[in-house]
Amino acid sequence: MFPSTSPDTGREPWADDARPGPAGPSRGYPPGPRTGPADDGGDQPKRKGPRRLRKGGPGRRPDDEPDDLLDEEEEPPVPVRRPLALTVAGFAALLGVGLVLGAQTTGPGHRLPFAFIVFGVQLLFVLAWTMAMRPPALLVVALVSTGAAAIADIAAVQSEIAGLAPLGYAAAAGFVLGVLGQLVRRVDRVRVTDSLGSTLLIVVGVVAFASLIVLGRIPKGTQAITVCLAATGVALLVARVTDAIAPWPRLAPQVPRGAAGVVAGAMLGTLTSAVLGSYLVGFTPTSAALVGLVTAATAVLADLAVGYAEAGRLMAGEPPTMWIARHMQGPLGGFALAAPAAYAMCVLFL
């Protein structure tokens, strides 16, 4: 017999078929996580704080800033050491006084005393600049530069015609020999292309001092040396003393020098040359101020450039060199550049 009731009685007609309407999770289970555009940024950082207004654009939150900008911090400026600045100023003053007094000993038959004084300054220049710049084959470059200085001094004293041509030949020969000395060793050969500039600066700078001997052989040369080197010494002295007192405004955070010292040094150096020009024969205050301005400005700018070069070497990761050599480098470089400037101004305008 068949049952009177169907086996499907009590069952909902859609039990076996799909439930009408939108598909959803089964009963008794919590709904699963929704997927869609709204949840795609689940890993985005939460908002913190109000938006910051930017000029010319929408607001921006601190969390939206790049990490490298957040981690970057401004480095404090290099402190100015007052005793050191005063010591360098004293060295510049002594150097100027020595060269000016040495120029007074020169004459038609007495050129050797001044030549010996200039050669002593050249030795200091070679020591300071080779130890500060450290070119490859340092000993070779130092010996070649010393030989070039000696040859230039001898040529300046004994040449029949006072001129700079023998000095140029000595500088070219010294530069070539210095480069060849670096090419001999394989270790130094790798860095020879990087050291061409430093070798050239050392050789040309040390030979430039010999132009003072040539300048002492021409008319008005001794007076020109007095005016120009006095202006140079005063300019360097005032610039360094001003940096010790008020190094403002700072030209660069990594260089402990101020613009006030550079400007004040050039101005007071020019004033010193103008005062001396009113007492020296063959000069007027105007002509003396002109030559003094050129040499004083050249010296203080060369001294400042040495500071920038030293800061660049330290920022590049190079180890610091000998303490005394680094701080003698600036005044010596200033006088080395002021010597040919004084010769040029004397020949062209006097």
Side-chain angles (χ1 to χ4, degrees):
M1 295 179 63
F2 296 97
S4 59
T5 60
S6 172
D8 295 333
T9 303
R11 295 182 57 185
E12 296 179 357
W14 54 78
D16 295 333
D17 300 328
R19 182 184 296 269
S26 60
R27 296 173 179 263
Y29 295 93
R34 297 177 61 188
T35 58
D39 293 334
D40 289 342
D43 296 335
Q44 295 181 355
K46 297 181 180 180
R47 297 180 179 178
K48 297 180 180 180
R51 289 176 178 268
R52 294 192 305 175
L53 295 179
R54 293 185 298 171
K55 184 177 180 181
R60 186 174 182 179
R61 301 184 186 88
D63 293 341
D64 297 332
E65 297 180 359
D67 294 338
D68 53 352
L69 296 180
L70 293 176
D71 296 338
E72 184 178 357
E73 297 180 357
E74 295 183 359
E75 296 183 359
V78 177
V80 178
R81 291 180 286 180
R82 183 174 299 178
L84 177 60
L86 295 176
T87 302
V88 177
F91 172 72
L94 290 176
L95 190 61
V97 170
L99 289 174
V100 170
L101 293 180
Q104 305 303 318
T105 63
T106 188
H110 301 83
R111 299 169 184 161
L112 287 180
F114 187 45
F116 282 119
I117 294 174
V118 171
F119 185 70
V121 177
Q122 289 171 323
L123 291 180
L124 290 177
F125 183 90
V126 172
L127 172 65
W129 278 70
T130 52
M131 293 302 298
M133 304 189 74
R134 290 189 174 275
L138 186 147
L139 183 59
V140 174
V141 174
L143 292 177
V144 169
S145 300
T146 304
I151 294 174
D153 293 344
I154 294 173
V157 170
Q158 296 184 351
S159 60
E160 296 181 359
I161 300 176
L164 297 182
L167 308 187
Y169 298 147
F175 174 70
V176 172
L177 290 177
V179 173
L180 291 179
Q182 297 173 11
L183 290 174
V184 172
R185 298 178 57 187
R186 181 177 300 179
V187 178
D188 300 328
R189 195 182 307 164
V190 179
R191 298 177 51 201
V192 69
T193 55
D194 300 333
S195 67
L196 291 178
S198 60
T199 305
L200 181 63
L201 283 176
I202 295 172
V203 175
V204 172
V206 74
V207 173
F209 280 101
S211 61
L212 295 175
I213 303 175
V214 180
L215 183 58
R217 296 180 55 184
I218 64 177
K220 301 181 183 179
T222 303
Q223 292 87 342
I225 292 175
T226 302
V227 170
C228 295
L229 295 189
T232 300
V234 170
L236 294 175
L237 172 65
V238 172
R240 293 288 185 164
V241 171
T242 305
D243 289 336
I245 299 174
W248 181 88
R250 291 291 290 269
L251 296 173
Q254 297 81 12
V255 181
R257 302 294 304 274
V262 176
V263 176
M267 292 176 62
L268 290 181
T270 305
L271 178 61
T272 302
S273 62
V275 172
L276 290 176
S278 61
Y279 294 99
L280 295 177
V281 178
F283 278 89
T284 62
T286 303
S287 60
L290 178 62
V291 296
L293 173 63
V294 173
T295 53
T298 301
V300 293
L301 290 178
D303 187 17
L304 181 63
V306 169
Y308 273 92
E310 178 64 22
R313 286 193 294 267
L314 294 178
M315 292 178 63
E318 298 183 10
T321 55
M322 184 184 297
W323 179 86
I324 189 172
R326 295 199 313 271
H327 302 297
M328 289 171 56
Q329 188 184 7
L332 287 170
F335 277 98
L337 198 58
Y343 179 87
M345 293 299 296
C346 184
V347 171
L348 296 177
F349 296 101
L350 299 179

